[in-house]
Every structure is written in C-alpha cells, then in structure tokens.
C-alpha cells in the first residue's frame, strides 16, 4: 500500500508512495509520444479490420478491399506463367532433340524439369532419382522401356500399365500362382536366370524351361526387350533384387509395376522438360 | 519530445546553436587542402577511365555487383577474395589509432567525412548568410522576405550538394557516365533512386543540421579517445602557464605580471563544436586547430609570440608548469606497437596480392545418389568441377584422375565416351562448370569409400591443382 506520496526535488515529480529500503519510485506519467503511438495503432487496427479480412465475433469478414491471400497467390502464379509462356511455347513446339542444343531452352528445361521431378516423381523414384525396390533408378544405363529422349517422353506422357489407351503395357505371367510351373521348375529357372548375368552361363535343367517360357520376352541370351518392357537378365541391375529368393518370388507371382500417365496432369512443356532432365541424369541413351 | 510534464530539470542537454566564425591561418589552410583532395577523390573517382578490354568495365574504381567483382585500377578482386577488403579495414583502423597516438584526433579534425561535409556546408552557409555575427542576427530577426530568401537558398544549395554526394556513391557500383544519364533522365532503377535519396537525406541531415552533435553524441570514437590518447600525444592545448592570468589588455600597457591571454574569446567563436579550449582537453574537441589559428591572429595583433594555443603534449604542459625541461616522446611503446602491426598487416596484404592465384578448382561431389551401379556392374559417381580462370585470356586445362585403378570419366558436352584425361577450355575471366561422371569397375574398388584425386594442370604455367575427393560404391 502506498504510504506517503511526496514531491521529488530533482525532477519535480510525485513519487508512487512505495519505498523499498529507502529507494522511492517516481510516478512519471507515460510519455505523450507513447500514448500517441498506442492510439495510432488502435486507429490503424480499426481501419485495417474494415478494409482487410478479419475474424470478428460475428464470424470472418472479407474486408472492403477484397484482398485475399488466395488472390495474391493466383495473381503471382498467373504472372509467373505469363512470364514463362514464351519459353514454354518454344519447348513445346521444338524437336525433342533440339531442346538440349539450345542453351536457353536447356537451361529452362533443366530447371523446370528438376522442380517438376521433385514435385511429381520424387515420391517413388527418390529425390535424386536413385529409385527404390520396384521403382527404377533413373541414373543408371538400364532402361525397361528405353532410355532415348523419345522413349522417356512417351513413358512419362502415357505411363506404364495405366488406363490410358497409349499406355506402355505388358504382363509377365505369374508362373507359380497360375500353376504354369511347379516349385521345382521355378527353382531351376531362377538359377538359370541368375546365371545369365555371370560370366559363364550355367547349363542346367533351367535352360530348357527358360527356352520354353521366357525367351519370347527376355530373349535367348536374357538381353530383354524394351518394346515390351522386359528387363535384361544379363546385367547387374535388379529392380526387385538380385538374390534368388526375390527372383523365385518374381517368377512365381509376376511383377506389375505401375507408373501414372502424366499427360493431362502436366502440360507438354513440363513433360518434355522432365524428359530432358531425366535423360541428363547420366543414363540417357 | 520527452513528454515529461515535470517542472524540474530535463534529463537531456539543451540544443545550443553553434555559429563558428570564419578564420584564416595555417591549420585552416590545411583543412581546405584536405577537404579539396578528399571531396575531389570522392566526386571525381568514378569518372576515371581504365581500359580493360570489352569484357570488363572501363572504370578505374568500380564494384561490379552483377559480375561480383571489384576493380581498383589494375587490381581485380573476385567476390571470394573479400578478405582483401578486411585487410584494408584493419590497416585503416590501425592507421587511425596510430595517427591518434601521435597527434590526437587529426582524423576527426581534417579527414572525417562528417567534418569535411560539415565544413563544405558551413562554407555555403557563410556565403549566403554571412559570418557568425550576421548569422546570429539573422536567426534572431523576425521572418521577413530577405530572411526567407537567404534560408531557402541555403537549404536548396545544401540539398543540391547532398544529392551530388548520394549520386556519386552509386557511381562506384555502376558505369558512371551511363548511370548519370539514366538518373537525370529518370531511367535508373528504383534501387538506385532509393539509395541516392537516402544518402541525400542523410548528408543533408548530418552536415546541415546535426553537425557537431554527430561528433559529440553519435560517434563512438569521441568516447573512447581517452584510451587512444596518452600524455605524449600532440593535442590542441591552451598554454595555461603562459596564458594566465588572463584579462583584457590595453595597447601600450605592460605585459608584466599577467598572462598572454587577453580573453578575447576568438578561440571560442571559431570552434566548430562550440567549446572553450582553455578549459582543457574535452570530449567535444575534434582537434582541428582552428582555435590555434584564431589565437595566433590575435597574438599578431597584440604583438605577442604565436602558440598560446597549439598542438602540444600534456606531458610538456605539465613539465612547463613545474618549470622542468620538456621532452617529446614520439617514439614510445604505443607508437612502436602500432607501427609494427601496420607493417605486418601491410606485408601480409602485399604478399597475398603478389602471390594470389589466378586460377583455382572447386569440386562438388554428388550426394544424391552417392553412386550408381550400371548394367555391366561398374560403378559411376557424379561430380561437378568448377574451374576459375581469373586471367583475361583463354586458358586450357588438363584434367585426369588418380587414386582409383582404371577410373575413367565422361564430361557432359566434352567427352561422351569415357576417357582417362581431358583437355578443357575456360574462357577469359570466368568460371566454367563441368559435369563429370567417373566410372570404375566394381572389382577395382577396395572399399565402399575410396580416396580419389582430380588432378588439373594449367597448360601454360604447368600449375598443378589437386583436389581430394572420394569415390563410393556398394558396400563390399
């Protein structure tokens, strides 16, 4: 409780009446400028609430100016799209191979492709396009459906095993599930398939089974067929794993990797940019 | 503005207008010379031309922000060499301390931009409003047509100088003739105008209005000068032994039994910070020596020797007062240490400049993916190699690999099939970026992480640059 309010000699100010061990506090009023600033902020807030969107007790209001963050975003995006239009049109109408020849187009396609890849492709193929089990590594030189610029563009545009009419499509039989081969035969052909990638192909009971069931798609030396998306069995790249258990599992139940068709979801310029980007990762043919 | 309703003393010092009187003398002349040189360098510096060929700016002094290079006559500094600027700042700081130890605040009195521009503004003020007495009269007089004309023309002149000052600043970052035309024809960028206008504003405010308040209240240097000075530093001092007792002197009367100071206040009238030097060394004193000029002129008139106010050391003043033999100590530990530091930093800078390399290699290793296994089982790693060519001519580099057996590389745009060594061209004055894929057989790798070197040799000088990196493969 204030005890004794007195006048300070030096400042001419009243004290608050509080005293702590002989120290008294001056009752100095809040400076004028401080009050003016406070009231200015109050006035500003009132005007702001009327002009801009606000949350009031009666519910949110839109404000008289009609300003909204969605509109700002839409405007910014429209401006960005308009700014890119010339370059996008150029990429859309150019020969695929010509994009990499022109420094400006290449620059634009690489930057756009990298961004589009991160947004659309990275969830399956990884941010560095390194792939995962069942999702191909796009950095290497092994391609299921071909690694030429045109092949990659087609794959991106129509997808793999999609409902799109131009989709890349093929189906490996589920030899075990559909009872085309018994467990012993599968075991033998798995051994044979694995031996194809070693330097000296083993000849065993699997060879005949392979000849009969697999050659049509995977080729007589296991070189694969890009027309049908049949992977090469000769190389060291295994999409689902190169150990015997995985290969047996593949022969038994088949594999049907799916990639969406991006036509209609991405515009032509973006698809082409993506193809250029993916082609540049190191494995492009 | 304090908003205090108190009837008592304010906690703030009252603003006192200072009306420095014009003065002639050797220190004033020195100040004019220093002012002309410094302003001349500042305003004319960017207009000096320097031919560097077609690819580089033709301006002797320019910081080119677009190409991230600074040009200083024949020296060209790249952004990553900004430590040269640090060196220059260290030299500037030590020089300042050194000068202060020797001769007090000579920097403040003669060379500080605040002093130089204030001097210029005061000169303009004197031209328009007259000397001290006339200005004091004018300020006291009620507003009239004549007063308004004088005041307005003074401020217009000030703003014009301030604008030229702000304008000159941006010339150091752009081609001066081109930008000057752009500014005057309203074609320069918003940034340029914002910088010019803010510098115009600050120059006008600091040199026109704030003046000595900057030195007294804003500048930290005034506050720590006590640590920079000692009893052996030359500072502007009033010779009390000779001057006291002061008092008015009638011509023809004897000087016996009295001091030489006739208490005319000439020293106070000319002081740009409005202090009385006879009170001793003060925080506000900027060491300009104008009071010494004023006093010397008075001494001439009363036929007494010069130097009642002069640059001298406190030690000598004290020795004089005690009747001892005074001695100067210009060479003393403090000045020796400053000299040594200055010499060392200058030598390091010189060595760095002479030995600076005009080419270098930077290497970035791909981390995503760390490595790629190829169809034939071999392993590929990706690298980005940047080669800097700081010379103004085309140069050729030979790049090869070492450390991993049988490693070969492809370089996008330069080598499609794997090679062991490659010749790369780098254009003058530029950085070239190369995407390099290195291939090695899995069997050649000793571990999942292997040491590898990029060896780049510059063809002409045969300078070899080695860059350590790693080559990664699947876990062995």
């Amino acid at each position: 409780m204030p005890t004794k309010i007195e006048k300070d000699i030096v400042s001419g100010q009243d004290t608050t009446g509080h005293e702590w061990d002989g120290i008294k506090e001056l009752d100095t009023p809040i400076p004028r400028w401080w009050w003016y600033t406070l009231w200015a902020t109050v006035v500003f807030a009132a005007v702001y609430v009327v002009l801009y969107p606000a949350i009031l007790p009666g519910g949110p209001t839109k404000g008289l100016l009609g300003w909204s963050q969605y509109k700002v975003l839409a405007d910014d995006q429209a401006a960005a799209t308009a700014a890119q239009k010339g370059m996008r049109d150029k990429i859309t109408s150019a020969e695929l191979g010509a994009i990499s020849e022109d420094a400006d187009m290449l620059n634009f396609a690489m930057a756009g492709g990298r961004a589009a890849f991160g947004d659309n492709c990275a969830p399956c193929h990884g941010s560095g396009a390194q792939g995962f089990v069942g999702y191909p590594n796009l950095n290497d030189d092994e391609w299921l459906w071909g690694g030429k610029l045109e092949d990659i563009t087609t794959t991106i545009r129509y997808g793999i095993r999609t409902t799109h009419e131009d989709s890349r499509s093929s189906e490996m039989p589920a030899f075990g599930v559909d009872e085309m081969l018994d467990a012993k035969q599968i075991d033998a052909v798995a051994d044979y398939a694995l031996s194809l990638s070693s330097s000296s192909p083993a000849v065993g009971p699997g060879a005949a089974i392979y000849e009969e069931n697999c050659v049509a798609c995977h080729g007589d030396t296991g070189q694969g067929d890009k027309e049908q998306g049949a992977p090469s069995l000769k190389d060291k790249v295994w999409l689902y794993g190169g150990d015997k258990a995985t290969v047996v599992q593949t022969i038994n139940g088949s594999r049907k990797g799916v990639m969406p068709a991006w036509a209609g979801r991405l515009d032509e310029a973006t698809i082409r940019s993506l193809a250029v980007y993916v082609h540049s990762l190191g494995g492009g043919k | 503005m304090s908003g205090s309703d108190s009837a008592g003393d304010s906690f703030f010092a009252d603003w006192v207008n200072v009306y420095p009187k014009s003065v002639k003398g050797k220190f004033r002349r020195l100040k004019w010379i220093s002012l002309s040189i410094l302003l001349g360098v500042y305003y004319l510096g960017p207009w000096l031309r320097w031919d560097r060929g077609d690819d580089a700016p033709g301006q002797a002094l320019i910081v080119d922000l677009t190409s991230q290079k600074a040009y200083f006559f024949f020296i060209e500094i790249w952004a990553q060499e900004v430590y040269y600027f640090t060196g220059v700042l260290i030299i500037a700081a030590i020089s300042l301390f050194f000068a202060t130890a020797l001769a007090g605040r000579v920097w403040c009195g003669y060379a500080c931009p605040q002093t130089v521009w204030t001097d210029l503004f005061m000169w303009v003020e004197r031209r328009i409003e007259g000397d001290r007495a006339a200005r004091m009269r004018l300020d006291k007089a009620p507003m009239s047509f004549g007063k308004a004309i004088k005041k307005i023309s003074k401020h217009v002149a000030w703003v014009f100088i301030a604008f030229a000052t702000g304008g000159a600043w941006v010339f150091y970052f752009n081609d001066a003739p081109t930008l000057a035309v752009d500014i005057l024809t309203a074609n320069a960028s918003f940034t340029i105008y914002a910088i010019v206008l803010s510098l115009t504003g600050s120059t006008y405010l600091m040199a026109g209005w704030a003046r000595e308040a900057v030195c007294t209240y804003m500048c930290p240097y005034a506050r720590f000068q006590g640590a920079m000075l000692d009893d052996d530093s030359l500072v502007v001092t009033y010779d009390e032994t000779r001057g006291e007792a002061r008092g008015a002197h009638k011509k023809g009367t004897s000087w016996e039994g009295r001091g030489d100071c006739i208490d005319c206040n000439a020293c106070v009238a000319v002081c740009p910070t409005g202090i009385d030097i006879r009170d001793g060394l003060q925080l506000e004193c900027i060491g300009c020596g104008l009071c010494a000029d004023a006093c010397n002129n008075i001494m001439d008139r009363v036929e007494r020797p010069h130097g009642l106010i002069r640059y001298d050391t406190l030690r000598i003043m004290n020795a004089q007062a005690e009747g001892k033999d005074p001695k100067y100590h210009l060479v003393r530990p403090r000045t020796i240490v400053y000299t040594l530091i200055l010499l060392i930093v200058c030598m390091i800078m010189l060595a760095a400049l002479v030995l600076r390399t005009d080419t270098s290699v930077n290497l970035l290793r791909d981390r995503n993916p760390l490595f790629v296994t190829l169809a034939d089982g071999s392993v590929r790693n990706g690298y980005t190699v940047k080669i800097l060519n700081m010379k103004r001519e085309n140069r050729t580099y030979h790049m090869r690999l070492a450390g991993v057996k049988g490693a070969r590389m492809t370089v996008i745009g330069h080598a499609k099939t794997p090679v062991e060594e490659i010749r790369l061209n780098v254009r003058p004055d530029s950085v070239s970026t190369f995407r390099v894929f290195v291939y090695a057989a899995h069997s050649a790798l000793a571990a999942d992480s292997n040491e590898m070197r990029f060896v780049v040799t510059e063809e002409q000088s045969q300078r070899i640059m080695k860059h350590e990196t790693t080559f990664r493969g699947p876990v062995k």
Side-chain angles (χ1 to χ4, degrees):
Chain A
M1 281 296 288
T3 47
K4 204 178 125 209
I5 293 170
E6 52 195 314
K7 212 165 202 51
D8 177 58
I9 303 159
V10 177
S11 63
Q13 209 72 253
D14 282 344
T15 67
T16 56
H18 297 289
E19 186 176 334
W20 295 271
D21 294 342
I23 298 170
K24 295 167 188 171
E25 187 189 10
L26 288 183
D27 189 12
T28 309
I30 287 168
R32 280 283 158 68
W33 67 264
W34 197 95
W35 274 113
Y36 294 146
T37 312
L38 175 71
W39 283 111
T41 60
V42 170
V43 172
F44 177 86
V47 174
Y48 186 90
V49 159
V50 174
L51 294 180
Y52 285 90
I55 300 171
L56 299 177
T61 57
K62 285 198 187 307
L64 294 179
L65 292 184
W67 184 93
S68 90
Q69 293 215 346
Y70 286 112
K71 208 166 149 295
V72 171
L73 176 66
D75 288 350
D76 285 355
Q77 282 179 330
T81 311
Q84 292 179 346
K85 193 173 181 306
M87 220 48 220
R88 287 181 163 276
D89 288 350
K90 208 172 156 193
I91 286 176
T92 307
S93 57
E95 288 276 329
L96 259 182
I99 297 175
S100 308
E101 304 295 320
D102 180 279
D104 283 343
M105 273 203 281
L106 179 64
N107 214 356
F108 188 88
M110 285 295 285
R114 187 177 288 119
F117 189 91
D119 288 347
N120 302 290
C121 317
C124 293
H125 288 286
S127 57
Q130 75 274 31
F132 295 104
V133 172
Y135 301 97
N137 184 343
L138 305 177
N139 292 279
D140 63 27
D141 54 350
E142 161 69 356
W143 298 88
L144 288 170
W145 296 92
K148 293 202 179 73
L149 210 43
E150 290 76 16
D151 301 330
I152 299 172
T153 314
T154 306
T155 306
I156 297 171
R157 190 178 290 145
Y158 305 125
I160 294 166
R161 302 186 185 93
T162 63
T163 53
H164 197 286
E165 54 180 6
D166 291 322
S167 170
R168 295 192 185 279
S169 205
S170 68
E171 198 168 334
M172 172 172 164
F175 290 96
V177 173
D178 294 343
E179 294 177 1
M180 297 161 77
L181 297 173
D182 62 25
K184 224 171 148 186
Q185 288 171 309
I186 290 176
D187 190 74
V189 81
D191 276 336
Y192 182 79
L194 278 168
S195 72
L196 287 172
S197 55
S198 74
S199 43
S200 51
V203 188
I209 306 166
Y210 180 87
E211 189 71 35
E212 201 170 307
N213 298 285
C214 315
V215 162
C217 298
H218 290 289
D220 47 5
T221 59
Q223 74 272 28
D225 180 5
K226 292 188 175 31
E227 288 299 309
Q228 314 180 50
S232 160
L233 304 177
K234 284 173 75 174
D235 64 22
K236 297 286 199 313
V237 179
W238 295 88
L239 184 52
Y240 293 90
D243 57 307
K244 192 173 166 194
T246 312
V247 175
V248 166
Q249 204 183 343
T250 304
I251 301 169
N252 183 57
S254 172
R255 303 282 187 185
K256 296 187 194 72
V258 171
M259 170 171 149
W262 294 95
R265 299 169 72 168
L266 300 176
D267 62 22
E268 182 61 18
T270 308
I271 289 175
R272 282 161 167 251
S273 301
L274 268 173
V276 169
Y277 173 70
V278 169
H279 188 262
S280 78
L281 291 173
K285 298 282 181 185
Chain B
M1 277 294 277
S2 77
S4 166
D5 293 328
S6 70
D9 294 332
S10 166
F11 295 113
F12 299 96
D14 286 331
W15 183 275
V16 183
N17 272 331
V18 180
Y19 298 90
K21 190 172 154 60
S22 73
V23 63
K24 282 196 172 76
K26 57 181 171 188
F27 298 119
R28 180 64 263 187
R29 205 174 313 121
L30 212 56
K31 261 169 85 72
W32 285 133
I33 292 169
S34 153
L35 178 144
S36 317
I37 294 172
L38 292 170
L39 289 183
V41 167
Y42 177 75
Y43 287 118
L44 302 179
W47 297 90
L48 278 176
R49 301 288 96 188
W50 195 268
D51 186 23
R52 295 191 183 87
D54 292 337
D55 301 326
Q59 189 162 314
L61 303 166
I62 185 169
V63 177
D64 188 0
L65 295 177
T66 339
S67 70
Q68 308 197 331
K69 285 169 201 158
Y71 299 89
F72 184 83
F73 296 100
F74 59 93
I75 302 174
E76 178 185 331
I77 304 287
W78 289 36
Q80 68 269 27
E81 297 177 298
V82 74
Y83 46 77
Y84 285 113
F85 185 61
T86 315
V88 170
L89 287 181
I90 293 174
I91 290 177
I94 305 291
S95 306
L96 178 62
F97 299 160
F98 182 62
T100 308
L102 278 185
R105 289 172 66 182
V106 281
W107 160 262
C108 304
Y110 294 86
C112 175
Q114 176 63 26
T115 292
V116 169
W117 264 279
T118 302
D119 244 6
L120 180 64
F121 273 46
M122 281 179 177
W123 178 80
V124 170
E125 189 173 56
R126 261 200 295 275
R127 288 268 136 166
I128 295 168
E129 293 184 0
D131 208 357
R132 175 180 163 90
R135 290 206 302 279
M136 289 169 95
R137 253 198 322 276
L138 186 71
D139 276 2
K140 271 202 199 108
M143 185 50 74
S144 66
F145 182 71
K147 180 174 175 175
I149 287 287
K150 276 183 178 171
K151 287 283 173 194
I152 289 169
S153 40
K154 175 179 86 174
H155 287 287
V156 166
W158 279 359
V159 168
F160 178 78
I161 297 172
F163 181 73
T165 306
W169 177 259
V170 291
F171 291 156
Y172 282 92
F173 299 86
N174 298 275
D175 185 55
T178 321
L179 185 64
V181 173
D182 283 350
I183 289 180
L184 296 177
T185 55
N187 279 325
S189 72
F190 174 78
T191 319
I192 292 286
Y193 285 114
I195 293 171
V196 170
L197 287 184
S198 61
L199 287 176
T200 303
S202 62
T203 308
Y204 171 72
L205 198 69
M206 295 300 160
W209 293 91
R211 293 186 174 179
E212 78 283 350
V214 173
C215 311
T216 312
Y217 298 110
M218 289 163 68
C219 182
Y221 186 54
R223 304 277 157 172
F224 69 73
Q225 64 161 331
M228 300 281 95
L229 292 170
D230 55 30
D231 287 355
D232 292 306
S233 307
L234 288 166
V235 289
V236 180
T237 41
Y238 163 67
D239 188 343
E240 222 173 288
T241 324
R242 196 188 126 190
E244 301 296 319
R246 66 180 89 150
H249 178 262
K250 217 178 222 162
K251 206 171 179 185
T253 55
S254 164
W255 289 91
E256 284 299 315
R258 56 155 294 151
D260 279 354
C261 175
I262 59 163
D263 207 7
C264 62
N265 267 331
C267 54
V268 179
V270 300
C271 180
T273 67
I275 56 166
D276 187 342
I277 193 65
R278 295 171 298 177
D279 295 341
L281 184 61
Q282 290 151 76
L283 166 73
E284 292 87 347
C285 176
I286 57 168
C288 65
L290 292 186
C291 49
D293 276 345
C295 191
N296 285 344
N297 294 343
I298 298 295
M299 288 299 118
D300 280 344
R301 228 180 294 160
V302 298
E303 291 166 345
R304 302 295 295 169
H306 278 185
L308 179 57
I309 300 173
R310 62 178 186 267
Y311 283 97
D312 216 329
T313 75
L314 287 179
R315 191 183 299 283
I316 285 176
M317 285 294 160
N318 293 339
Q320 262 183 2
E322 291 164 19
K324 286 185 196 156
D325 189 26
K327 250 193 189 131
Y328 287 103
H329 296 281
L330 291 183
V331 180
R332 54 187 196 273
R334 184 189 282 261
T335 51
I336 293 171
V337 168
Y338 285 150
T339 314
L340 280 180
I341 298 178
L342 258 184
L343 277 176
I344 291 169
V345 177
C346 284
M347 255 143 60
I348 292 174
M349 286 279 288
L350 197 68
L353 198 65
V354 171
L355 299 175
R356 84 194 262 249
T357 60
D358 52 12
T359 183
S360 75
V361 173
N362 286 313
L363 187 72
L364 280 166
R365 198 185 176 286
D366 282 6
R367 289 198 164 72
N368 187 10
L370 276 173
F371 63 89
V372 175
T373 301
L374 298 175
D376 61 359
S378 61
V379 181
R380 191 187 79 205
N381 280 209
Y383 302 85
T384 303
V385 177
K386 292 186 178 198
I387 302 181
L388 265 84
N389 174 15
M390 297 167 78
K391 264 201 174 165
R392 223 163 277 131
E393 57 192 53
N394 258 310
R395 289 212 278 184
T396 308
Y397 296 81
H398 293 263
M399 182 164 75
R400 62 185 176 84
L401 301 165
V404 173
K405 229 180 101 190
R408 286 156 178 268
M409 61 192 161
T410 58
V411 182
I412 291 186
H414 299 275
K416 248 192 163 142
T417 49
V419 292
E420 281 179 339
E421 181 171 336
I422 188 166
R423 262 178 109 230
L424 298 167
N425 259 313
V426 181
R427 281 186 305 163
D429 235 354
S430 63
V431 184
S432 280
T433 304
F434 303 99
R435 272 292 284 161
V436 181
F437 287 125
V438 178
Y439 302 79
H442 189 208
S443 55
L445 303 181
D448 57 343
S449 179
N450 307 275
E451 280 178 21
M452 192 177 74
R453 284 184 306 283
F454 277 82
V455 184
V456 180
T457 312
E458 199 276 308
E459 199 172 66
Q460 216 170 26
S461 62
Q462 285 298 310
R463 208 180 106 83
I464 298 171
M465 292 164 283
K466 288 182 182 164
H467 235 286
E468 296 285 339
T469 182
T470 54
F471 186 90
R472 297 189 75 102
V475 178
K476 275 263 173 181

